[in-house]
Amino acid sequence: MNDTHGLSELGWSPHWQGLIALHAAAGRIAGRVIRGDRTSSLVATANGIVRAGTTARLLKADESHAALPVVGDWVALSVPDGDGAALIEAVLARRNAIVRSDAGRTAEVQALAANVDTVFVVHPIADEPNLRRLERELSVAWSSGATPVVVLTKSDLSADAEAAREAVASVAIGVEILTVNGLDGASVGGLLEHVAAGRTAILLGPSGAGKSTLINALLGEQRQATGGIREADGRGRHTTVARELVAIPGHGVIIDTPGLRAIGLTGDEDGIALAFPDIEALAPSCRFRDCRHGDEPDCAVRAAVEAGELDPERLASWHKLQRELQVAAVKTDARARAEEHRKGRIMGRVIKDYHKKSGRP
Ligand SMILES: Nc1nc2c(ncn2[C@@H]2O[C@H](COP(=O)(O)OP(=O)(O)OP(=O)(O)O)[C@@H](O)[C@H]2O)c(=O)[nH]1
Ligand SMILES: [Mg+2]
Ligand SMILES: [Zn+2]
């Protein structure tokens, strides 16, 4: 039996206890990945934090890299008695994951974090909130199965925080919006309601938005490095370099992340549907059930745009995300086919070999 005392503050529960049982019988111990780098992970176990590699078998089994251990994963570890390195032998089945497609070149699907309940979508309110980016992040959050919450930071620097908040509310439909000054511990308490003990939240948002500052405010100490903003363009300096899970005493855990330049969409259409409930609500009134709100006749969504009831930029944003999803799906298929082809070739060789040895043509 594993002594899992100490893991409960990271969210250990009977659910994970059930999943580790088989591995525990083989002498492996449970842990949660609290920081993931390219080659190894930091894993919190009941006996403290260890650095662990990943078994070659696990690396090999995962062509797409979508299932390799990431921050937030619960894993089964082998920890040798001597001075050998700890190894992640298995990743316990994820409840969910925040997944992005590495847009540009390869459309590789990449898990950013696993087993997440709340996604804080963090944007500075000081400059114009980037509504199109927000829609994208909300789609990614919803498609993971986690609940998004928008956090608008730097309220102290904003001339008209209320107007910015209203603009955000027009695209973050049905999503809670918190306005905070991350430098003032008293103003960030609202986040904790979404990070009850046993729960996991993640901070997503551009560099310089104040994600690490929020963690420090919640802890009441300068644990995370925070960075200045470049004078030239007001952007952040990519101060945080790795995704890292931080326990908030008396509450759950929050994953700090480096600001991503862009987050590519992948998965199914559900995330977009949840992020665009206004368009979803209109769609049943379109003439065609599978209307794409393009140039089909009697499109209720386009009619709403023409009537001034729906922002044309919002519909354009919806189209862009839908297209992106399709491109990602095609690339995923292409990758799957390439893998099939590779396996097919190996199989062909094996069969030829067999025929040669058995003397048949
Ligand atoms: N005035 C003000 N400054 C803030 C607030 N939140 C963050 N800052 C400042 O903004 C800068 C960037 O904050 P960080 O917390 O490092 O931003 P980040 O989102 O973690 O950025 P990356 O780690 O690069 O992704 C720092 O200089 C913070 O002090 C806020 O609410 N008000
Ligand atoms: Mg940071
Ligand atoms: Zn339509």
Side-chain angles (χ1 to χ4, degrees), residues 339-353:
E339 173 63 4
E340 276 303 305
H341 182 70
R342 190 181 71 88
K343 283 193 186 138
R345 270 200 339 250
I346 295 171
M347 184 57 84
R349 222 179 299 137
V350 171
I351 291 172
K352 215 164 123 195
D353 238 35

Side-chain angles (χ1 to χ4, degrees), residues 26 60 89-90 124 139 164 175-176 202 214 298 307 314 348 361:
K60 244 188 175 152
E89 301 277 351
S139 301
V175 176
E176 186 171 340
I202 188 169
L214 285 171
D298 294 330
R314 186 152 164 85

Side-chain angles (χ1 to χ4, degrees), residues 108-324:
E108 281 264 301
V109 175
Q110 186 192 19
L112 294 178
N115 306 314
V116 174
D117 302 292
T118 304
V119 177
F120 290 119
V121 178
V122 185
H123 277 250
I125 199 170
D127 27 281
E128 292 269 291
N130 183 340
L131 302 183
R132 305 287 86 87
R133 177 171 178 139
L134 198 64
E135 288 167 335
R136 169 182 296 277
E137 288 163 343
L138 289 173
S139 301
V140 168
W142 280 122
S143 70
S144 74
T147 305
V149 174
V150 175
V151 183
L152 299 174
T153 56
K154 311 195 186 185
S155 60
D156 54 313
L157 299 180
S158 168
D160 191 348
E162 200 39 49
R165 187 195 165 92
E166 267 169 38
V168 166
S170 74
V171 302
I173 299 167
V175 176
E176 186 171 340
I177 303 170
L178 303 169
T179 307
V180 304
N181 170 2
L183 301 181
D184 170 14
S187 101
V188 300
L191 275 78
L192 291 179
E193 283 172 34
H194 303 278
V195 202
R199 302 233 138 203
T200 301
I202 188 169
L203 298 163
L204 287 186
S207 177
K211 299 179 296 296
S212 303
T213 301
L214 285 171
I215 291 197
N216 291 341
L218 291 169
L219 290 173
E221 64 175 275
Q222 299 300 309
R223 183 188 191 282
Q224 302 296 91
T226 62
I229 302 297
R230 290 198 304 236
E231 288 289 334
D233 54 9
R235 286 173 197 264
R237 295 168 186 273
H238 293 280
T239 307
T240 305
V241 294
R243 299 185 282 270
E244 189 174 0
L245 186 146
V246 180
I248 310 292
H251 295 271
V253 301
I254 304 189
I255 298 169
D256 195 6
T257 68
L260 295 170
R261 235 176 310 118
I263 184 159
L265 216 56
T266 181
D268 53 30
E269 292 182 17
D270 295 357
I272 301 180
L274 288 163
F276 289 83
D278 44 353
I279 292 180
E280 277 304 294
L282 288 164
S285 305
C286 296
R287 189 204 287 187
F288 299 109
R289 273 189 59 191
D290 60 349
C291 184
R292 305 311 292 165
H293 323 314
D295 45 20
E296 296 93 338
D298 294 330
C299 170
V301 176
R302 270 196 356 272
V305 170
E306 274 146 35
E309 288 156 14
L310 183 71
D311 184 354
E313 286 191 36
R314 186 152 164 85
L315 179 55
S317 175
W318 182 89
H319 274 131
K320 186 160 188 275
L321 293 172
Q322 292 283 355
R323 272 196 305 274
E324 196 173 302

Side-chain angles (χ1 to χ4, degrees), residues 17-65:
Q17 186 73 50
L19 291 181
I20 197 77
L22 211 67
H23 300 287
R28 292 161 187 171
I29 64 166
R32 190 165 198 195
V33 178
I34 58 170
R35 186 179 163 122
D37 297 319
R38 262 186 193 288
T39 49
S40 65
S41 311
L42 280 187
V43 182
T45 73
N47 314 319
I49 294 169
V50 297
R51 181 164 284 285
T54 304
T55 57
R57 188 175 44 78
L58 205 58
L59 285 168
K60 244 188 175 152
D62 185 25
E63 281 287 326
S64 71
H65 303 298

